[in-house]
Amino acid sequence: MTRAEMRKAAQKKGKGGGADAGGTGGAGGGRRGAAAAAGPGKKRFIDYPRFGKTGVRRWLPSWKQWLSGFLLVFGCFVGLVFYLYQTTEIPNMNELVKGQNTIYYWADGSEMTRKGQTNRQIVPLDEISPNLQNAVIAAENQSFREDSGIDPKGMMRAVYNMAKGGETQGASTITQQYVKNAYLSQEQTLSRKVREFFITLKINQKLDKPEILKGYLNTSWFGRGANGAQAAAQAYYGIDAKDLDVCQSAMLAGLLKGAAYYDPTNPANKERAEGRWAWILDQMVKTKAITPEDRAKCTTFPTPVPLKPSTNMNGEISYLVDTANKYVLNNDKSITQQVIDKGGLKIYTTFEKDKVDALKKAVDDVKAENLNPQKRPDNDTNIQFGSASIRPSDGAIIALYGGDGVENGHFDNNADATGVQVGSTFKPFVLATAMQVGVQTAKEDGKPKRINADSRYLADDLSEIRKPDGSLVIGDDGKPYKQKNEDTSKHGYVSLRQAMQFSYNVPFVQLNQDVGGQNVADIAVQMGVKKDSLADPKTATFPLGTSTISPIRMATAYGTLAASGKESEPYSVTKVEVDGKERPGFGKKEAKVALEPTVADNVTDVLVNVAAKGTGTKTLALGRPVAGKTGTTDQNKSAWWVGYTPQLVTSVAMWREDPSKHERQSLNGTGGKASIHGGDIPTDVFTRYMKVALANEKVLDFPSPQPVGSEVDSSGAPSTPTAAPTPTMTDSPSAPTQTQQPTQPAPPQPTQTPTCVPGVDCPGDQQPTPTKTKTPHPTNTCLLGLPGCQTQQPTPTDTTTPGGGGKPTGKPTQTTPPPAPPGVAGQ
């Protein structure tokens, strides 16, 4: 029955016209009567679910309901838009001239420096060159003079990108960008986009195009701390905005896409900046802003004038601020460089003023004592230092040295430099990999066998290098590759401990082949090295430090060793407040396990031996346990020392660079020396700084290393009848060097032919200690050059490496180290 029929039936029943009470109307009549009695009665305002329909049709709205719903939603939307439009107010432009500062604080909470929105001057449009106006329109919004101020497609694309977590920039009109610059924050959120939309509508209704263009050019950020066209013209070209020519205008217009990427002051940006400059000039021809003849006059890129640093950025302050800013930008994507320059932030850093001053003084004093640019202009000029000091197990950067200061024309932050090869400071990563991953030349339970520092490798100069399968490594010339050491001596087979002590190249190049260069790269990254700073791990010289790792990251990686294998990401900011509200995500991060504690402690034990008896003996002046490694690169283009105590790790890099070409130059002849090694000036800087930095710190020992791996000698190593000493028994940090034992009795003359091989760790003729046993043997098994022998071992210096004996001789003889030739990778 339809609704109308049921209503009529109900009315008839009320008049007595229905079936009698006895049910004479039959079953069908009874059902119809029941249905009529249960009819809808009063009509519903919204008939949903739909009465009288069954199945799916009962739940499908009618076309009238669809239309009503659409009109209702549309009406609400129009009402909301009207309400938001009416209630949205355009802020007063006068608020723009109220500059704020971004304030930086030392670790103790005292103010370090401040910078902010002080470089701005609002000027009329007629005081801004038409060349710049046309260049900006051609680059940013070619339809500006005709459009409505809104780009619906661009806004929808931005909303879509925000929804999927992608980039939100691009496709905004000049009017929209003006609104964002002048009245809103730079954060990329949906609420900010909605406000931008309504303010843009009002601006476009109330202001004409020249006023909008004036507002945009006076509020845009051009980099170099310049907000607005007038400030930008002064900052980049030292002239007023009204005097900008076509070529200069196109360069400035290119900065609006992102000054951090297109400011040619940064050498890394120059090619990109020149490309955008040329493109904008072509667009100006396309929009008929200039003629092809005008375009042809711009043949040379208009290089900006040198940056004029603020006096409150002198000394190391600019590099500290640079480091803190990079950390903030990487950890909070809503904060851009423009936001920082605009001001209103409080940035609390990890930098300790007394440590920063001590590091700068150490560098300055060493430079003053060793460099004389007036006397040696061809050797002592353009010398660069970069250094970083970090607390292990924490990651806090407490001090850094970034250069001579912006007041002296040095703007690059050397502490974060990534173009300087690290040399032999990379070798500990190879050793750590061999201890943790193992060598492919020996198997244990089907896996590469993990080794220890007593494993012996050939250290002869110009030795051939073999792959794990025994085949020769072939060089670029198609011939078997032969690796050089720092000196030309034949050292025979030496332990990896001794190879690290004297920084022999051959053993670590072979070890790198045995463990696999990619495994070494992976371990280095786990320890804190940036993957993009690594050289190709497939090259034979990869273990010799051809990678260009920053001082900050080298300190981080060595800090992992100091922290018994726990890697702590370096950080320079503990807290950030934006307009008085603290932002999350800053401060110390949770440490990650990069190496087994036993592995890290054994590598530390080897590096303690380097500092005490190897190429880093200058650190003995500290009077406390120190571990570290020197590094010198091919052609002597850089020299490193990276060292640490349990409380502090500090890296020091030294190199020579032509600032006009950004090319590395050899350090040969610097300071009047034939060559500079890591154990020389860099280690001196480290020692002077650490004396001050640790003056009030307790003298702590490193953890005692537990046994790790086993001795796995490389192919060809001679057998020895004695058990190899454990890492804690040879070259221990507390053991005095042989040259410190003048009262030791002279060794007896052997009566039988000795079996010792010069330059290999072995127990000597001395009585064994309680922890070290000696297998009886009728011959003298002493191997020259190591603590077990009773002959004096040469004490290495930063410019020499010890010589080696060659074949066994009738009796031990003292060896004299030859002078090291300059320009060969090694120490």
Side-chain angles (χ1 to χ4, degrees), residues 504-525:
Y504 299 146
N505 291 335
V506 173
F508 287 98
V509 173
Q510 183 59 63
L511 182 61
N512 181 74
Q513 290 290 328
D514 293 349
V515 300
Q518 188 57 56
N519 289 329
V520 174
D522 293 341
I523 289 293
V525 171

Side-chain angles (χ1 to χ4, degrees), residues 426-440:
F426 197 83
K427 290 174 181 174
F429 303 142
V430 185
L431 180 60
T433 307
M435 289 181 174
Q436 178 144 318
V437 177
V439 292
Q440 303 172 45

Side-chain angles (χ1 to χ4, degrees), residues 409-733:
H410 185 87
F411 300 101
D412 296 335
N413 183 358
N414 288 349
D416 200 28
T418 55
V420 184
Q421 293 185 346
V422 298
S424 292
T425 56
F426 197 83
K427 290 174 181 174
F429 303 142
V430 185
L431 180 60
T433 307
M435 289 181 174
Q436 178 144 318
V437 177
V439 292
Q440 303 172 45
T441 52
K443 301 289 184 179
E444 188 172 51
D445 297 329
K447 298 179 180 180
K449 193 169 185 178
R450 296 166 58 164
I451 71 175
N452 61 26
D454 294 314
S455 301
R456 298 178 299 164
Y457 273 68
L458 183 63
D460 288 350
D461 185 49
L462 292 176
S463 294
E464 294 179 337
I465 305 300
R466 296 183 179 274
K467 298 178 182 179
D469 61 5
S471 62
L472 291 172
V473 173
I474 304 301
D476 294 337
D477 57 1
K479 299 178 181 179
Y481 176 77
K482 295 183 179 181
Q483 180 58 54
K484 288 186 65 62
N485 281 329
E486 178 78 8
D487 65 353
T488 59
S489 301
K490 301 296 184 183
H491 302 290
Y493 284 83
V494 303
S495 69
L496 292 175
R497 178 186 303 278
Q498 188 179 2
M500 188 77 76
Q501 179 180 349
F502 300 123
S503 202
Y504 299 146
N505 291 335
V506 173
F508 287 98
V509 173
Q510 183 59 63
L511 182 61
N512 181 74
Q513 290 290 328
D514 293 349
V515 300
Q518 188 57 56
N519 289 329
V520 174
D522 293 341
I523 289 293
V525 171
Q526 287 177 204
M527 292 174 66
V529 171
K530 286 289 188 182
K531 185 176 181 180
D532 57 9
S533 66
L534 292 175
D536 184 357
K538 295 188 293 293
T539 58
T541 55
F542 177 66
L544 301 183
T546 54
S547 300
T548 55
I549 306 167
S550 71
I552 290 176
R553 283 293 167 172
M554 285 302 293
T556 299
Y558 274 57
T560 299
L561 298 173
S564 295
K566 290 186 178 180
E567 188 267 337
S568 297
E569 276 294 292
Y571 69 101
S572 57
V573 176
T574 58
K575 184 172 68 172
V576 174
E577 294 180 0
V578 180
D579 294 329
K581 297 180 180 178
E582 184 174 348
R583 304 301 292 262
F586 292 96
K588 178 182 177 180
K589 303 295 189 297
E590 184 176 355
K592 299 176 293 185
V593 176
L595 297 175
E596 294 180 9
T598 304
V599 170
D601 293 343
N602 271 274
V603 175
T604 291
D605 187 56
V606 171
L607 297 185
V608 167
N609 188 57
V610 172
K613 306 175 187 177
T615 56
T617 53
K618 281 183 179 288
T619 61
L620 292 173
L622 279 180
R624 62 173 70 219
V626 177
K629 183 69 186 76
T630 52
T632 305
T633 59
D634 193 34
Q635 299 179 19
N636 205 210
K637 288 188 176 181
S638 63
W640 286 75
W641 168 263
V642 187
Y644 56 95
T645 67
Q647 303 102 315
L648 200 59
V649 54
T650 302
S651 62
V652 181
M654 175 184 178
W655 67 94
R656 189 164 180 249
E657 178 179 344
D658 184 345
S660 62
K661 300 179 181 178
H662 287 278
E663 292 179 354
R664 305 284 184 264
Q665 299 174 328
S666 176
L667 289 170
N668 291 341
T670 299
K673 301 178 182 179
S675 61
I676 299 294
H677 292 268
D680 188 9
I681 292 178
T683 307
D684 193 8
V685 171
F686 169 89
T687 304
R688 295 184 188 219
Y689 161 69
M690 294 287 274
K691 276 185 178 179
V692 178
L694 297 173
N696 298 319
E697 301 275 359
K698 293 182 178 179
V699 176
L700 298 178
D701 291 324
F702 291 106
S704 298
Q706 300 301 311
V708 64
S710 57
E711 180 179 334
V712 180
D713 298 336
S714 66
S715 176
S719 60
T720 175
T722 56
T726 64
T728 57
M729 296 179 186
T730 62
D731 294 331
S732 62

Side-chain angles (χ1 to χ4, degrees), residues 51-111:
F51 189 84
K53 304 294 182 182
T54 59
V56 177
R57 294 181 62 193
R58 175 176 172 82
W59 300 98
L60 289 176
S62 67
W63 68 270
K64 293 181 179 180
Q65 291 172 329
W66 276 112
L67 179 60
S68 299
F70 172 77
L71 292 175
L72 179 63
V73 172
F74 180 76
C76 291
F77 177 76
V78 171
L80 178 63
V81 170
F82 180 77
Y83 171 78
L84 292 175
Y85 181 82
Q86 291 297 323
T87 56
T88 298
E89 296 183 357
I90 301 176
N92 191 337
M93 271 285 293
N94 291 331
E95 295 295 319
L96 293 175
V97 298
K98 292 184 178 179
Q100 300 183 73
N101 287 307
T102 290
I103 308 174
Y104 299 82
Y105 297 90
W106 294 104
D108 62 3
S110 60
E111 183 175 321

